Amino acid sequence: MRGQDDRRRARPAAHELARYEALFAARTRGMKSSAMREMMALTERPDVISLAGGLPDTSTFPAELYAKLMAQVAAESTARALQYGPTEGMSATVECIVEAMAQEQTFVDPSEVIVTTGGQQVIDLVCKALIDPGDVIVAEAPTYPGAVPTFTAYQADVMQIEIDADGMPIDALEETLDRLQEQGRRPKFIYTIPNFQNPGGVTMSLARRRRLVEVARERELLVLEDNPYGLLRYEGEPLPTLYSLDAQAAARGGAADLVIYLGTFSKILSPGLRLGWAVAPRPVLEKLNLGKQGADLCSSSVTQTFVAAYFAERDAHGQPAWLQYVERLRDLYRERRDTMLEALQEHLGERASWTNPAGGLFVWATLDGDVDTTDLLARSQGVAFVPGRAAYVDGRSGSSSMRLNFAGLPEQDIREGVRRIARAIGPDTSLLGALTGQARAGTADSGAAGGKQDVQAVLDAELADVIELPRREQQTPRRRQDR
Ligand SMILES: Cc1ncc(COP(=O)(O)O)c(C=O)c1O
């Protein structure tokens, strides 16, 4: 096990790379070495509290139910579950997708659904179908960090529109579209996460949803609506999906013209299943299907059969087990969100601002001053988060922000994780200044020497009860026989 981890972390040395350099495709030059990769290695260490990944809490899934369903799949569907399936997905799984989407008042035609290997594959297949090098994608700023490497791998020219508390401002979008039009450029698609945005935590208002669909229709532009979190709403009224708004306007038997919908079982059931889906107008669907044939032929029949068995499960009152589980997740994550907001107030109250998500998994926090969260991650001990830059295609913007996941950890770890971040930033010197009569000394790394020592002494005393964690290991080249 340990050997495997080490292998994943090993990066090739420059002299090793040189040998293969001429063979690599041009697009690999744009591929980013992501902060995510570094972070995933970090999050595997047991001494690290990870507020980083997009992880739901899979430990909450009842083990007995998992065992029962897997046994049922094994006993009743052996040959089918162990066989290849259709590229577009098994019809029993598609029925589950139709049922899940109906919970969001979005009614889709099963023939316009394709089952994919996670929602991530939808992003990849949409790019594969639509993007030539230099083509424009319009996305939110910040955007889903996992989409950034996909967009750059396809050599897209990504324009990011800064979001506010109501999601993407559509007037800013229209300005960008006008500018592009003057240059004779038509974006291939607009990428948005309208519900509890990853990483921003904000939700697009109804007025903006309506306007976005109008703009897409006026200008004949495709929209990729990425909606993994729609059912994880902790308060307030659900808002209609862009897909359903477009379908109303399209009057095409209830199907949308211009919205490609991305869904996933990852957050309402399990990311380990690796099952997501797209709903798309038939000509687009056809291309996604061809792209998927080249990528992986079909998604796992084992996990598709599992999902079908799970969705058939009812309690004594005939209520679907999957919906009850989602309700339990909502209760749990609501509490954890509140814990994180309290912890942020307690430890970073004077030094940062953050979003207050009504659902989903993430808070987006922005630090005052010029703290770079990528550097902060490197010097943080025992805690991981996603540095803001990972959510910007230029890799530079968002440097004082960070994405914090509140869903995957128990409350004491959330509190301790936030406390460790505050410790890594350094003391709140404005408070210390008031206590000691000294001027604000900046972060622990940047204060004036005299003030810094005093500040450090106070900090050391304050943190005397915190167990020191080992520093992150240095990456050292290993000899061939170690691999
Ligand atoms: C906005 C968004 N899109 C897509 C995905 C991909 O998820 P998966 O491939 O597990 O379905 C995620 C996962 O975190 C996400 O947050």
Side-chain angles (χ1 to χ4, degrees):
M1 192 62 203
R2 188 170 156 69
Q4 271 180 17
D5 289 351
D6 287 351
R7 193 171 60 236
R8 203 167 335 140
R9 277 177 214 168
R11 291 243 178 88
H15 70 273
E16 289 176 299
L17 272 176
R19 191 169 173 190
Y20 305 94
E21 192 66 46
L23 300 172
F24 293 132
R27 68 177 160 278
T28 62
R29 270 177 239 134
M31 287 180 176
K32 290 186 186 273
S33 157
S34 70
M36 303 286 272
R37 176 179 157 160
E38 181 81 354
M39 195 189 69
M40 290 313 271
L42 192 66
T43 58
E44 280 166 16
R45 288 184 28 189
D47 53 0
V48 171
I49 292 178
S50 176
L51 305 171
L55 312 186
D57 190 342
T58 44
S59 72
T60 56
F61 195 85
E64 331 70 68
L65 180 57
Y66 177 66
K68 180 186 129 177
L69 293 170
M70 276 301 189
Q72 191 179 321
V73 167
E76 294 172 12
S77 316
T78 315
R80 206 151 34 96
L82 295 183
Q83 192 52 273
Y84 293 111
T87 302
E88 62 273 20
M90 295 173 138
S91 45
T93 313
V94 172
E95 277 173 34
C96 305
I97 289 167
V98 171
E99 186 179 332
M101 290 187 70
Q103 280 297 317
E104 292 196 69
Q105 302 304 309
T106 302
F107 304 99
V108 299
D109 181 338
S111 71
E112 297 200 351
V113 176
I114 182 169
V115 177
T116 57
T117 302
Q120 186 71 28
Q121 191 178 44
V122 177
I123 303 174
D124 189 71
L125 293 177
V126 167
C127 288
K128 198 175 186 180
L130 300 176
I131 300 298
D132 286 319
D135 279 350
V136 176
I137 298 171
V138 180
E140 291 154 340
T143 192
Y144 166 47
V148 171
T150 315
F151 294 162
T152 54
Y154 284 95
Q155 298 169 282
D157 188 4
V158 184
M159 316 261 150
Q160 290 190 260
I161 313 265
E162 205 65 44
I163 56 175
D164 61 24
D166 286 333
M168 188 189 337
I170 308 302
D171 47 1
L173 168 70
E174 289 186 84
E175 277 166 28
T176 300
L177 295 175
D178 286 344
R179 226 173 328 112
L180 286 166
Q181 201 169 1
E182 280 162 22
Q183 299 161 9
R185 303 176 83 192
R186 178 187 182 198
K188 287 298 181 74
F189 63 92
I190 299 164
Y191 175 63
T192 176
I193 305 146
N195 290 317
F196 327 121
Q197 203 241 18
N198 176 2
V202 299
T203 293
M204 191 186 283
S205 66
L206 179 57
R208 287 188 182 176
R209 286 172 196 239
R210 289 194 197 288
R211 185 63 197 138
L212 174 55
V213 169
E214 273 169 20
V215 167
R217 298 186 70 80
E218 284 161 15
R219 300 183 187 233
E220 281 278 302
L221 294 174
L222 284 171
V223 176
L224 176 55
E225 174 179 30
D226 187 352
N227 187 29
Y229 307 105
L231 288 176
L232 295 177
R233 175 177 275 280
Y234 313 134
E235 63 235 348
E237 285 302 306
L239 294 170
T241 59
L242 298 172
Y243 185 95
S244 66
L245 292 172
D246 187 33
Q248 279 166 22
R252 196 171 64 82
D257 283 328
L258 291 162
V259 176
I260 303 168
Y261 181 96
L262 178 164
T264 177
F265 290 110
S266 287
K267 315 299 167 161
I268 56 169
L269 172 51
S270 145
L273 299 174
R274 301 311 303 130
L275 286 181
W277 66 89
V279 188
R282 247 175 269 266
V284 177
L285 197 72
E286 185 60 29
K287 297 290 185 200
L288 300 185
N289 190 306
L290 290 172
K292 184 169 168 67
Q293 287 176 35
D296 61 0
L297 303 177
C298 64
S299 294
S300 162
S301 302
V302 174
T303 57
Q304 287 190 67
T305 317
F306 175 86
V307 165
Y310 178 51
F311 269 62
E313 194 69 18
R314 310 274 141 171
D315 74 359
H317 309 287
Q319 292 304 311
W322 78 268
L323 258 183
Q324 292 177 331
Y325 180 57
V326 171
E327 266 162 40
R328 282 212 303 284
L329 288 179
R330 278 188 208 120
D331 291 342
L332 180 71
Y333 294 167
R334 185 187 301 109
E335 276 177 25
R336 289 179 176 178
R337 178 211 48 190
D338 292 344
T339 300
M340 175 160 283
L341 294 177
E342 276 168 31
L344 285 166
Q345 188 56 46
E346 182 182 345
H347 297 291
L348 290 172
E350 304 297 320
R351 296 185 284 168
S353 55
W354 52 87
T355 52
N356 185 352
L361 310 187
F362 308 108
V363 169
W364 178 252
T366 301
L367 304 174
D368 295 346
D370 56 2
V371 182
D372 185 311
T373 53
T374 308
D375 297 343
L376 185 69
L377 177 64
R379 67 170 193 270
S380 290
Q381 290 183 27
V383 64
F385 50 83
V386 176
R389 288 174 190 225
Y392 287 80
V393 176
D394 67 10
R396 290 189 303 275
S397 310
S399 61
S400 56
S401 297
M402 60 176 103
R403 188 191 77 178
L404 304 171
N405 176 322
F406 54 78
L409 291 174
E411 296 189 14
Q412 68 274 19
D413 286 358
I414 295 172
R415 287 187 195 284
E416 178 59 18
V418 173
R419 196 160 96 107
R420 287 179 189 181
I421 292 172
R423 180 180 60 170
I425 297 168
D428 182 350
T429 49
S430 61
L431 256 183
L432 287 164
L435 289 173
T436 62
Q438 286 172 0
R440 189 178 173 115
T443 66
D445 288 351
S446 64
K452 191 172 163 185
Q453 276 167 11
D454 290 343
V455 161
Q456 201 54 53
V458 178
L459 186 70
D460 287 346
E462 186 202 336
L463 297 177
D465 60 333
V466 177
I467 301 158
E468 275 301 320
L469 293 165
R471 288 193 83 80
R472 190 142 43 120
E473 294 151 336
Q474 289 293 315
Q475 303 265 338
T476 46
R478 284 164 302 123
R479 282 167 315 190
R480 193 162 283 273
Q481 66 264 33
D482 297 336
R483 286 178 206 159

